[in-house]
Amino acid sequence: AKSKILNLAIHGKLVPQDPNDEPVIELLKRINPGFTPCDNGHNEKLPQGWCLTDLGTIGIWQSGGTPSRLNKAYYGGNIPWLKTGDLNDGLILDIPESITEEAVANSSAKINPTGSVLIAMYGATIGKLGILTFPATTNQACCACIEFHGITQLFLFYFLLSQRMMFISKGGGGAQPNISKEIIVNSTIALPPLAEQQRIVQKIEELFSVLDNIQNALEV
């Protein structure tokens, strides 16, 4: 049921369009005057005010790194360090492991700000998501969107959730399937006007809450 809700949401069928909404292309052009919509043979007619673009256009993305395990001085500091197993498809409230400032300075680990949307890129966790409630680093198996341009944080989160099977399919079938930051940033998104994004998120969360309440009642 949740997958169906997300599918309706990303195709503009969950809430009605409002002709008074500013077309999202106008917002994207204000952010980047050189913006041009994607042209990748997408034949489906977009809902009113929507625009086809890619994830690299609407966000700033970065991946993480793992400080050398051989250096004990890199671990046990005051900077949370997330592994993909810590992702929970929701708000990240706790990260068990931490690293030091020295580890950040001497590795490819980067500090992601509060509110960053995280997605797993490797192995069995491909497509798992999380939203940081505090600044944190991640390992290299995780990619973070740290800035949002023309898209709300939660619309991006639910869009990525709707695309999990697509990302898994792009990961290949090897012993250690994986996607890359390049695959993520080059992925196409049909983007609604900002006001419609907010209405869509509100409706998703309203319907998800109803489904969760039903499930909880059945488990009692």
Side-chain angles (χ1 to χ4, degrees):
K2 287 184 175 181
S3 294
K4 178 64 174 177
I5 290 167
L6 291 174
N7 186 264
L8 292 172
I10 66 169
H11 290 95
K13 298 177 181 179
L14 190 63
V15 300
Q17 277 75 53
D18 184 339
N20 296 313
D21 289 345
E22 178 189 39
V24 73
I25 191 171
E26 301 302 327
L27 173 59
L28 294 175
K29 283 181 176 179
R30 282 204 305 277
I31 295 170
N32 175 14
F35 170 77
T36 54
C38 282
D39 181 14
N40 63 350
H42 186 90
N43 295 319
E44 181 182 347
K45 187 178 186 310
L46 293 176
Q48 178 177 326
W50 290 44
C51 175
L52 205 63
T53 184
D54 56 58
L55 293 178
T57 296
I58 53 80
I60 301 296
W61 299 81
Q62 63 184 21
S63 53
T66 300
S68 172
R69 289 283 187 183
L70 299 177
N71 192 331
K72 303 295 186 185
Y74 286 171
Y75 289 87
N78 59 359
I79 301 173
W81 183 68
L82 177 141
K83 302 181 292 298
T84 53
D86 300 322
L87 296 172
N88 59 5
D89 288 337
L91 297 175
I92 302 297
L93 303 174
D94 178 63
I95 298 174
E97 200 162 3
S98 62
I99 58 176
T100 62
E101 293 180 8
E102 182 183 358
V104 175
N106 292 284
S107 75
S108 53
K110 305 173 189 69
I111 297 178
N112 305 298
T114 300
S116 297
V117 174
L118 311 178
I119 179 170
M121 298 189 291
Y122 293 1
T125 59
I126 287 178
K128 286 283 285 184
L129 301 171
I131 298 176
L132 289 178
T133 60
F134 46 81
T137 56
T138 74
N139 68 7
Q140 68 276 10
C142 197
C143 193
C145 185
I146 61 172
E147 291 183 22
F148 311 95
H149 301 159
I151 190 169
T152 69
Q153 173 208 59
L154 287 175
F155 187 83
L156 174 62
F157 174 83
Y158 286 119
F159 174 79
L160 293 174
L161 189 60
S162 76
Q163 299 300 296
R164 177 169 291 162
M165 294 311 298
M166 181 274 291
F167 285 123
I168 289 173
S169 70
K170 288 190 174 182
Q176 179 68 4
N178 66 84
I179 56 174
S180 63
K181 175 186 167 186
E182 287 67 35
I183 286 176
I184 294 169
V185 300
N186 289 316
S187 295
T188 301
I189 178 172
L191 193 64
L194 202 58
E196 187 174 347
Q197 292 178 40
Q198 294 165 342
R199 294 195 301 273
I200 289 171
V201 166
Q202 182 178 5
K203 178 58 72 172
I204 288 173
E205 296 194 331
E206 175 188 322
L207 294 173
F208 276 21
S209 178
V210 170
L211 292 173
D212 288 341
N213 288 338
I214 292 171
Q215 183 174 356
N216 291 336
L218 293 173
E219 290 175 352
V220 172

